[in-house]
Amino acid sequence: MYPFFLTLSRGMAWLGGAMLLVLILLVCASVLGREANGLLHADAAQALAPGLAAWVLGLGIGPINGDFELVEAGIAFAIFAFLPLCQITGGHASVDILTQRFPDMISRGLRLVTDIVFAAVLVVMAQQLWLGMLSKKASGQTTFLLEMPVWWAYALSMTGAVAAAVVACYIAVERLREAATGRTILPVDLEADH
């Protein structure tokens, strides 16, 4: 099962990375469009080449309409898309100054408790996103500029949250099995280097 969940986690991370790439390109295009629009409206462009400036401005050069709304929704998805990989590799931030000196039995117990708490929190987050999505869908709320239904962003983010919750539950169950049997089930290198 571990290879399946690792593949799922990596796939979600790739989707999150692709979303970030698209958002970077979107922001760059919007900033360049905004700057070009400002330059073409400047007195120098209007004095030197008013016809060219008017023609280029007529093409609609300028900032991308609703760029902030798209970035907001896309970043939310990307954050949730990276959570499964972070969970399965143990990549969450931690302070190990004290715990690294604990005996193996105590370290395993702390890891078990931490993974159970993470699973519970991620399940609650996915559930709250589901409820929020239903609420936004029922209200018909849209974004200001693009008039895009707000529930779309919730649904997009919920895919990552559900994947993170499923992976976290798998990790928690495997930690419980490890505690019950005394065997190591998950790979030893599961923990990410911090």
Side-chain angles (χ1 to χ4, degrees):
M1 290 290 286
Y2 180 79
F4 168 77
F5 285 107
L6 185 61
T7 301
L8 171 69
S9 300
R10 286 181 177 157
M12 289 301 298
W14 277 103
L15 289 174
M19 177 63 78
L20 287 179
L21 180 62
V22 167
L23 293 176
I24 289 167
L25 295 174
L26 172 81
V27 168
C28 288
S30 188
V31 168
L32 289 173
R34 184 176 286 114
E35 286 300 313
N37 187 287
L39 288 173
L40 292 170
H41 276 98
D43 291 338
Q46 293 297 321
L48 292 173
L52 176 64
W55 177 75
V56 173
L57 287 170
L59 294 175
I61 194 165
I64 295 174
N65 189 35
D67 56 349
F68 290 104
E69 295 170 356
L70 294 171
V71 167
E72 181 180 30
I75 289 292
F77 167 73
I79 290 168
F80 284 106
F82 290 125
L83 278 176
L85 186 61
C86 193
Q87 183 65 28
I88 201 162
T89 60
H92 297 290
S94 64
V95 180
D96 300 346
I97 294 172
L98 180 63
T99 59
Q100 67 185 355
R101 301 191 197 303
F102 287 167
D104 188 51
M105 182 74 115
I106 293 175
S107 293
R108 284 175 167 249
L110 283 173
R111 196 175 309 128
L112 171 65
V113 169
T114 301
D115 286 333
I116 290 171
V117 169
F118 264 114
V121 168
L122 289 170
V123 166
V124 168
M125 287 172 68
Q127 177 196 20
Q128 291 302 311
L129 276 170
W130 170 257
L131 295 174
M133 181 190 72
L134 292 178
S135 172
K136 298 299 181 188
K137 190 174 182 181
S139 72
Q141 186 177 353
T142 61
T143 60
F144 182 69
L145 295 173
L146 296 178
E147 296 182 5
M148 175 180 70
V150 173
W151 73 268
W152 289 359
Y154 277 76
L156 197 57
S157 295
M158 197 179 65
T159 59
V162 167
V166 168
V167 168
C169 288
Y170 163 73
I171 295 293
V173 166
E174 292 302 303
R175 293 289 187 214
L176 284 168
R177 283 183 53 211
E178 285 180 343
T181 63
R183 295 181 308 130
T184 300
I185 297 171
L186 293 173
V188 177
D189 63 347
L190 178 66
E191 300 294 323
D193 292 327
H194 298 287

